[in-house]
């Protein structure tokens, strides 16, 4: 469904993304892993329109979306979360979710009083329930734990009813129990939405992914099923830190 072909991006002399090609299948979870600085977030920025690529193409359902602005892509069903949590900290959980739901309201109804807009309010309520946020609905987002903030962020992405959900390190800074919750949450989304996931927690990647792309120094080092990735000597050496020759 999402196809990246020969994507390149250099920052000065640094080839942050170097001839990257891969595909994410519909309603499956494709993970991108690799050491710090491998080019994972840059690849996301190129796909999600945050940065223009130097060359290469990105297609969504066969449509060329290369270089389209993030707001245009949002309208085409691409939602992404950032590596750094990106929420309205001074608003409640409910208001954050409601604002995201309102973004789907037709422009002609922008001036309608919010309490008369039944569908976005109902949708917000559904999302709060689905993401286990009903109890915290009236709390300010800034007062939530990091794990709960991440859940709000994924709920906001899902409010857009996306085809493609892009998550950049959703478990960063999380405790093991929060990570386990995210594991369950992302699994519950599979089958409904195509997921591209950047993740450092290798156990999570192995548990969640249908397909794994391994990046190293901007390039694709390997791709395959999780079991094939952990068995690959090149991946074990470059990323997992094993040296099979020395073992
Ligand atoms: N806007 C930018 N300007 C200059 N260099 C950049 C920029 N963004 C990223 N880089 C560089 O490009 C390389 C790839 O960075 P990127 O953030 O894509 O890596 P990453 O795989 O997401 O790493 P991490 O796991 O640490 O998040 C790094 O060397 C980084 O310093
Ligand atoms: Mg990154």
């Amino acid at each position: 469904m999402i196809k990246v072909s020969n994507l390149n991006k250099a920052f000065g002399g640094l080839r942050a993304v170097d001839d990257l090609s891969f595909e994410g299948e519909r309603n499956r979870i494709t993970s991108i892993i690799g050491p710090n600085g491998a080019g994972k977030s840059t690849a996301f920025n190129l796909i999600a329109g945050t940065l223009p690529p130097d060359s290469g193409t990105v297609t969504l359902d066969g449509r060329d979306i290369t270089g389209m602005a993030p707001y245009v892509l949002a309208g085409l069903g691409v939602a992404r979360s950032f590596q750094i949590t990106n929420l309205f900290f001074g608003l409640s959980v409910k208001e954050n979710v409601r604002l995201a739901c309102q973004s789907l309201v037709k422009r002609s109804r922008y001036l309608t009083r919010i309490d008369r807009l039944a569908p976005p309010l109902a949708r917000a309520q559904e999302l709060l329930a689905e993401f286990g946020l009903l109890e915290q609905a009236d709390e300010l987002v800034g007062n939530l734990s990091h794990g709960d903030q991440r859940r709000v962020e994924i709920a906001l992405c899902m409010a857009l009813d996306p085809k493609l959900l892009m998550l950049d390190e959703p478990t960063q800074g999380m405790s093991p129990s929060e990570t386990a919750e995210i594991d369950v949450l992302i699994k519950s989304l599979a089958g409904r939405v195509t997921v591209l996931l950047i993740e450092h927690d290798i156990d999570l990647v192995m548990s969640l992914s249908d397909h794994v792309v391994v990046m190293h120094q901007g390039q694709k080092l390997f791709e395959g099923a999780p079991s094939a990735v952990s068995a690959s000597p090149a991946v074990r050496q470059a990323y997992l830190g094993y040296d099979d020759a020395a073992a």
Side-chain angles (χ1 to χ4, degrees), residues 11 14 16 34-43 51 83 168-169 198 200:
F11 298 112
L14 175 79
N36 293 119
K40 305 178 297 294
S41 294
T42 304
L51 281 176
Q83 196 165 356
D168 193 346
E169 295 196 39
I198 297 177
H200 273 296

Side-chain angles (χ1 to χ4, degrees), residues 220-242:
K220 182 173 73 183
L221 180 71
F222 190 85
E223 70 176 314
S227 56
V229 167
S230 50
S232 153
V235 175
R236 288 161 65 85
Q237 192 174 3
Y239 183 47
L240 302 175
Y242 298 105

Side-chain angles (χ1 to χ4, degrees), residues 25-84:
E25 266 189 70
R26 184 181 314 282
N27 296 352
R28 295 293 167 93
I29 300 174
T30 300
S31 296
I32 305 178
I33 66 171
N36 293 119
K40 305 178 297 294
S41 294
T42 304
F44 257 35
N45 287 333
L46 301 179
I47 296 167
T50 323
L51 281 176
D54 297 335
S55 61
T57 56
V58 182
T59 60
L60 179 72
D61 274 330
R63 174 176 183 170
D64 190 344
I65 59 163
T66 316
M68 286 187 181
Y71 74 91
V72 178
L73 291 176
L76 296 176
V78 178
R80 64 115 25 131
S81 79
F82 286 85
Q83 196 165 356
I84 296 162

Side-chain angles (χ1 to χ4, degrees), residues 85-100 139-144 149 152-153 156:
T85 306
N86 205 354
L87 297 163
F88 294 111
F89 290 101
L91 295 180
S92 70
V93 171
K94 192 162 65 188
E95 286 164 328
N96 269 272
V97 175
R98 195 195 73 204
L99 280 170
E139 293 247 9
L140 292 185
V141 162
N143 294 340
L144 297 183
Q149 288 177 352
V152 175
E153 203 173 22
L156 297 196

Side-chain angles (χ1 to χ4, degrees), residues 34-231:
N36 293 119
K40 305 178 297 294
S41 294
T42 304
F44 257 35
N45 287 333
L46 301 179
I47 296 167
T50 323
L51 281 176
D54 297 335
S55 61
T57 56
V58 182
T59 60
L60 179 72
D61 274 330
R63 174 176 183 170
D64 190 344
I65 59 163
T66 316
M68 286 187 181
Y71 74 91
V72 178
L73 291 176
L76 296 176
V78 178
R80 64 115 25 131
S81 79
F82 286 85
Q83 196 165 356
I84 296 162
T85 306
N86 205 354
L87 297 163
F88 294 111
F89 290 101
L91 295 180
S92 70
V93 171
K94 192 162 65 188
E95 286 164 328
N96 269 272
V97 175
R98 195 195 73 204
L99 280 170
C101 293
Q102 267 175 267
S103 70
L104 293 186
V105 172
K106 284 206 197 83
R107 241 173 246 204
S108 57
R109 302 207 62 196
Y110 270 7
L111 295 176
T112 308
R113 275 176 48 162
I114 179 62
D115 52 6
R116 301 220 178 109
L117 286 175
L121 291 178
R123 178 78 182 121
Q125 204 60 25
E126 256 174 48
L127 285 165
L128 291 171
E130 184 184 352
F131 285 81
L133 293 165
L134 282 174
E135 266 177 39
Q136 295 105 313
D138 294 313
E139 293 247 9
L140 292 185
V141 162
N143 294 340
L144 297 183
S145 71
H146 189 70
D148 285 344
Q149 288 177 352
R150 280 292 178 172
R151 271 191 299 153
V152 175
E153 203 173 22
I154 300 174
L156 297 196
C157 287
M158 290 308 288
L160 301 175
D161 208 8
K163 286 191 211 175
L164 175 67
L165 176 64
M166 301 175 66
L167 302 170
D168 193 346
E169 295 196 39
T171 68
Q172 196 182 44
M174 280 192 179
S175 67
S177 68
E178 288 175 329
T179 300
E181 278 180 28
I182 288 287
D183 188 355
V184 174
L185 183 65
I186 295 175
K187 273 189 188 129
S188 77
L189 301 176
R192 276 192 285 160
V193 62
T194 304
V195 178
L196 285 186
L197 174 71
I198 297 177
E199 186 51 60
H200 273 296
D201 186 316
I202 203 73
D203 294 333
L204 187 74
V205 168
M206 293 300 160
S207 141
L208 276 181
S209 313
D210 296 297
H211 189 71
V212 182
V213 175
V214 186
M215 287 186 72
H216 185 53
Q217 296 177 350
Q219 298 182 334
K220 182 173 73 183
L221 180 71
F222 190 85
E223 70 176 314
S227 56
V229 167
S230 50

